[in-house]
Amino acid sequence: MHTGINKNTPLYIAPANPAGRKLAKRLRSTGYCVNGFVDNLKQGDDIVNDVAHIPTTAKIVLHKAPYTESVAAGLLQRQFPPKLLWLCHIDGNLSFSRKSSAQQEDSAADNISFARYALPLRYRLKKLLFTIYSLLFCAVRLITPKRRYLYYAEGFFDTNVLLAYRKHKQLHNGEPFLLGLQLKQHISELDNDHSKFESLTLKTLWNICCAKRIVVDHEYTGDTFTLLRKYIPVIQLWHGLPYKALSGNKHYPHICDEVFVSSSDWFNKEVFPKIFRAKAYLSLGYPRNDAFSQSPMERDWINAESYNVLKQIQGNAGDIIVYAPTYRDWGNNEYPLNLAAIDTWSRKHNRAFILKFHPFISRLFSEAMGLKERNELQQLPDYPHIYLYPSGKNIYPWLAEAYALVTDYSSIAYDFLLSDKPIVYFQYDKAEYLRLRGETLVSDSDFIAGEVVGSTEEMLAVLSNAKPHSSNLKNKFGMKNLLASEQICRLVRE
């Protein structure tokens, strides 16, 4: 039923993720008027964050997904009226081989229906129970001694939190504990760590009630972290200096973290205060960057391919070059790599080419290459000088040994400034990137510290004569080769 929506109705899709963009493309192809997207977290020329910027006649279309309830709840909390929310249903696949383009459009449109969306009763009951638990949590927290420190993550333990926790535990065992909810990774080195928790058991909840501070390196918007940060001071380590636009937490006026930590004085003054709310901004460095100031034996190799594997690769194939592109959240992640040319060049120049992809892309790449999904380094079939690094593992102990870095728009480029080694920016889709992601947080002159290329052939030509970058960005940003983990531990315990 299309009641309330016709092809002249201005539509906004929520959220602006790859699935949402795919739905927008489908609706546009069948004649619907899709004006843009609504998203609480993302920003861009075609993304709306405020209900005041939506025409009064417009509707917000949600697509059916496991996260639809939380997306709708977030919109309602931000004062989007319930009457604006509609759910889109698309039935099966159609074949248009014998129909004209006009008939195809009509048939595809018949396959699309809309219905008013309302949060299900189970969601409302869940919220009520959570409110009761919240009151109990607050009451218990009033009487507990504050002597523990919570290192928190959802989905996976990223490197900054994990390394900061490990250093804290090494220096003051018994104080920190690690909590990861809905984890999709397994780190074998943590199997015997009795201070690591993966669910909200009574023991976990007691430790949380005793927590003096929470340490994170991502923004989380779920109920659990929203409750915890309301009552426990948060130290945000983040996970890199940004080039691309970030949502931060500035659009949540009730949030003000205790400290925001980065690796740059300049970013803490010019960029981060505009998108993150915090009482103080400190340049202590990122724990993952400690690897650039340490010898291989001094580094923490947790959740990384071992040093022995690295030495074996270097011995067999030569110095490593790391290719680490960012993830394209609009769905086009087919990197135009000429693997045969890269392998030939690597063999000629005694190099090993290490591919480090986003987990989703790594999975697709593995399937395309006929590789089994493994949490270990794999040599590509027919390309003995090219290796796929496990997507869920820490690349930084290897990056510190790299001859050069190839990336595009990723924050890893800023981290690699600390190495004073060559950086190549493989930006084959710059125009599309800017069109879909919107304006960047910083100018190219404050990001590029090497050669920009648009093809594999250009990339290899630059790598053949690569020289250490001569950029002054490291000095401009106030980035120093200091060990961050110990400084952060002292900050957390203050």
Side-chain angles (χ1 to χ4, degrees):
M1 182 178 294
H2 290 237
T3 305
I5 293 181
N6 57 50
K7 292 189 177 181
N8 294 319
T9 304
L11 302 182
Y12 289 80
I13 311 301
N17 62 0
R21 292 188 178 277
K22 184 176 180 180
L23 173 61
K25 183 177 180 180
R26 176 68 182 273
L27 292 176
R28 284 178 177 133
S29 71
T30 54
Y32 285 94
C33 179
V34 178
N35 284 6
F37 301 86
V38 176
D39 200 299
N40 286 338
L41 302 177
K42 295 185 176 67
Q43 296 178 347
D45 292 339
D46 60 348
I47 298 176
V48 174
N49 306 111
D50 191 322
V51 67
H53 298 150
I54 288 185
T56 56
T57 58
K59 306 295 183 184
I60 298 174
V61 176
L62 308 167
H63 59 88
K64 194 171 183 180
Y67 47 77
T68 301
E69 292 175 10
S70 60
V71 171
L75 293 174
L76 294 174
Q77 288 172 6
R78 292 180 60 78
Q79 308 305 312
F80 285 85
K83 65 180 181 180
L84 291 186
L85 304 186
W86 292 71
L87 187 67
C88 180
H89 297 275
I90 299 180
D91 301 324
N93 295 319
L94 296 177
S95 175
F96 306 128
S97 57
R98 296 184 180 180
K99 298 181 180 180
S100 68
S101 59
Q103 290 175 319
Q104 290 178 18
E105 182 177 305
D106 290 340
S107 298
D110 290 341
N111 211 39
I112 296 172
S113 62
F114 301 92
R116 288 283 295 272
Y117 182 83
L119 287 172
L121 179 60
R122 68 176 183 276
Y123 185 87
R124 299 175 187 275
L125 291 174
K126 179 182 174 183
K127 297 294 288 187
L128 176 61
L129 287 174
F130 190 82
T131 300
I132 296 172
Y133 293 150
S134 300
L135 294 173
L136 291 173
F137 170 76
C138 297
V140 174
R141 188 165 163 77
L142 289 174
I143 61 173
T144 55
K146 308 303 182 288
R147 58 193 179 199
R148 301 299 301 273
Y149 300 92
L150 168 57
Y151 289 76
Y152 181 89
E154 295 179 13
F156 63 98
F157 293 120
D158 211 348
T159 309
N160 284 331
V161 152
L162 187 59
L163 294 181
Y165 162 75
R166 296 259 291 180
K167 177 56 68 173
H168 193 152
K169 186 171 184 178
Q170 176 189 342
L171 297 175
H172 305 282
N173 192 19
E175 287 186 355
F177 66 104
L178 189 64
L179 173 59
L181 299 180
Q182 300 175 343
L183 293 178
K184 299 177 182 178
Q185 69 177 170
H186 174 249
I187 301 176
S188 59
E189 296 96 327
L190 295 175
D191 286 344
N192 297 318
D193 188 337
H194 300 296
S195 297
K196 184 202 73 170
F197 302 94
E198 296 186 12
S199 60
L200 295 175
T201 63
L202 288 176
K203 184 177 181 180
T204 308
L205 291 171
W206 175 256
N207 281 314
I208 292 174
C209 287
C210 295
K212 188 176 180 180
R213 288 187 177 89
I214 304 177
V215 183
V216 295
D217 59 8
H218 282 260
E219 271 297 318
Y220 304 108
T221 58
D223 288 340
T224 300
F225 187 64
T226 299
L227 172 66
L228 296 183
R229 83 184 317 162
K230 184 177 180 181
Y231 296 100
I232 309 175
V234 170
I235 294 178
Q236 172 64 267
L237 304 184
W238 200 231
H239 50 277
L241 304 179
Y243 169 67
K244 58 190 177 185
L246 297 176
S247 57
N249 64 26
K250 198 68 177 286
H251 53 292
Y252 292 107
H254 61 283
I255 292 175
C256 189
D257 294 337
E258 186 174 43
V259 180
F260 185 95
V261 176
S262 85
S263 62
S264 166
D265 295 325
W266 186 85
F267 271 82
N268 282 351
K269 181 180 179 181
E270 302 294 335
V271 178
F272 285 128
K274 297 176 183 177
I275 52 178
F276 286 96
R277 291 169 55 88
K279 296 177 183 178
Y281 301 83
L282 300 180
S283 177
L284 303 181
Y286 293 128
R288 69 186 189 185
N289 288 347
D290 287 354
F292 293 110
S293 302
Q294 296 170 319
S295 69
M297 303 313 296
E298 292 173 321
R299 294 172 196 149
D300 188 337
W301 290 77
I302 187 171
N303 198 35
E305 287 292 276
S306 72
Y307 183 42
N308 287 336
V309 173
L310 173 59
K311 289 194 295 184
Q312 182 179 352
I313 297 299
Q314 290 172 322
N316 293 340
D319 289 339
I320 66 170
I321 295 172
V322 173
Y323 175 52
T326 192
Y327 175 62
R328 275 77 170 157
D329 57 4
W330 61 85
N332 184 10
N333 286 278
E334 297 181 359
Y335 304 107
L337 295 174
N338 185 333
L339 296 178
I342 291 172
D343 187 70
T344 299
W345 181 92
S346 297
R347 182 168 60 252
K348 177 181 177 180
H349 291 83
N350 195 33
R351 298 284 186 260
F353 210 82
I354 311 297
L355 307 176
K356 178 64 165 66
F357 292 131
H358 180 278
F360 175 70
I361 304 308
S362 186
R363 186 162 57 250
L364 294 178
F365 185 84
S366 295
E367 293 174 358
M369 296 302 300
L371 296 172
K372 294 182 178 179
E373 192 171 350
R374 296 176 182 169
N375 196 31
E376 61 185 25
L377 189 79
Q378 297 188 74
Q379 188 179 58
L380 299 194
D382 303 321
Y383 305 114
H385 283 253
I386 306 178
Y387 299 82
L388 180 63
Y389 195 90
S391 60
K393 285 191 172 182
N394 175 20
I395 189 71
Y396 277 74
W398 283 50
L399 192 63
E401 298 295 310
Y403 164 78
L405 169 69
V406 180
T407 186
D408 45 23
Y409 321 104
S410 172
S411 64
I412 198 172
Y414 282 124
D415 295 335
F416 202 68
L417 290 174
L418 294 169
S419 73
D420 295 318
K421 295 177 182 177
I423 307 174
V424 179
Y425 299 81
F426 188 16
Q427 298 183 346
Y428 56 89
D429 59 349
K430 183 68 173 290
E432 181 184 27
Y433 184 86
L434 292 177
R435 180 175 63 84
L436 294 173
R437 286 295 311 224
E439 290 301 314
T440 57
L441 283 176
V442 300
S443 65
D444 281 358
S445 62
D446 284 328
F447 178 64
I448 303 297
E451 296 290 334
V452 178
V453 300
S455 67
T456 298
E457 291 68 28
E458 288 182 88
M459 176 187 71
L460 297 177
V462 170
L463 287 173
S464 296
N465 299 288
K467 299 176 182 178
H469 70 81
S470 58
S471 169
N472 67 348
L473 291 183
K474 185 171 71 170
N475 294 331
K476 175 179 179 177
F477 295 152
M479 300 175 66
K480 305 175 183 65
N481 289 76
L482 300 175
L483 296 178
S485 296
E486 290 189 26
Q487 294 187 80
I488 290 170
C489 180
R490 288 195 292 270
L491 169 67
V492 172
R493 299 182 75 246
E494 286 180 357

